[in-house]
Amino acid sequence: MHSTTPSPATGNRLRGYFLPVGLHPRIKAAWWGTRDTADAVPTLASLVAQLLVAGAGRLEERYNDGEPFPAAPEGARGRALGDGEQRNHSYFLPDAVHARAKAAWWATRDRDAGYPSMSSMVASLLTEEATRLEEKYNGGAPFPEAPIGARGVDPEAARRQAEMMASLWAERSHAARND
């Protein structure tokens, strides 16, 4: 479902979630439509990470005295949602964010407010956020679709990538002088 290889530019890993058809374009449109507001975040992945941290925090508060849950077991899987067509959408997320959200989901999956799968938790959080942004900034209506190539720029990732490229350039330059 997800890559175990970190992206060198971001230090994050690709995490995939099965979401109801139409939810990814909706949250992407909400992110894009609010990029110049007080709720703005630099990338869609950073919005997803922010929502996972908030969702895990709510579950920790409700069921674990505000403390993080122990890690979910290796290979922990949930039940299929079973309500409509699902599509896999992936986001680059910090490992710690994914692990915390997965632990919170796993520890509460059988509770009254639990989610049957990690993907259902992500879908719920994305739906809540899209609705909140639409109500706050677009009169409750969905935002127009984001451009196909809409991408944000994570300043921290851009800095790390610049450092990596400068280091690579210096190594190549040094090697060329020594030849």
Side-chain angles (χ1 to χ4, degrees):
M1 179 187 286
H2 60 270
S3 169
T4 58
T5 306
S7 166
T10 65
N12 298 337
R13 294 181 198 276
L14 190 63
R15 303 293 179 170
Y17 305 100
F18 283 93
L19 304 176
V21 170
L23 180 53
H24 173 76
R26 182 179 175 203
I27 194 67
K28 184 175 182 180
W31 162 71
W32 185 256
T34 59
R35 67 192 180 280
D36 295 324
T37 69
D39 288 310
V41 291
T43 64
L44 179 56
S46 61
L47 176 62
V48 173
Q50 180 180 353
L51 296 174
L52 287 175
V53 168
R58 285 194 302 269
L59 292 172
E60 291 161 353
E61 284 296 321
R62 183 170 183 180
Y63 295 109
N64 208 37
D65 297 324
E67 295 296 320
F69 291 102
E74 185 69 31
R77 300 279 184 260
R79 300 180 306 277
L81 292 175
D83 65 355
E85 192 175 348
Q86 306 281 311
R87 291 256 161 58
N88 189 313
H89 292 280
S90 299
Y91 307 94
F92 280 96
L93 300 172
D95 280 337
V97 168
H98 177 76
R100 181 177 175 196
K102 186 173 183 179
W105 158 72
W106 182 257
T108 62
R109 69 195 182 286
D110 295 325
R111 308 271 177 109
D112 60 330
Y115 301 95
S117 67
M118 180 73 180
S119 288
S120 65
M121 180 174 145
V122 172
S124 178
L125 295 170
L126 293 179
T127 300
E128 288 171 18
E129 183 65 2
T131 300
R132 185 186 76 77
L133 292 171
E134 290 162 353
E135 288 173 356
K136 185 172 181 177
Y137 294 106
N138 207 34
F143 286 96
E145 199 168 301
I148 291 173
R151 300 286 184 268
V153 177
D154 183 342
E156 184 62 24
R159 183 194 58 74
R160 286 192 306 266
Q161 183 175 26
E163 288 173 358
M164 183 180 72
M165 295 306 291
S167 175
L168 181 60
W169 180 254
E171 287 175 24
R172 289 181 180 167
S173 178
H174 179 72
R177 282 190 303 251
N178 291 336
D179 284 339

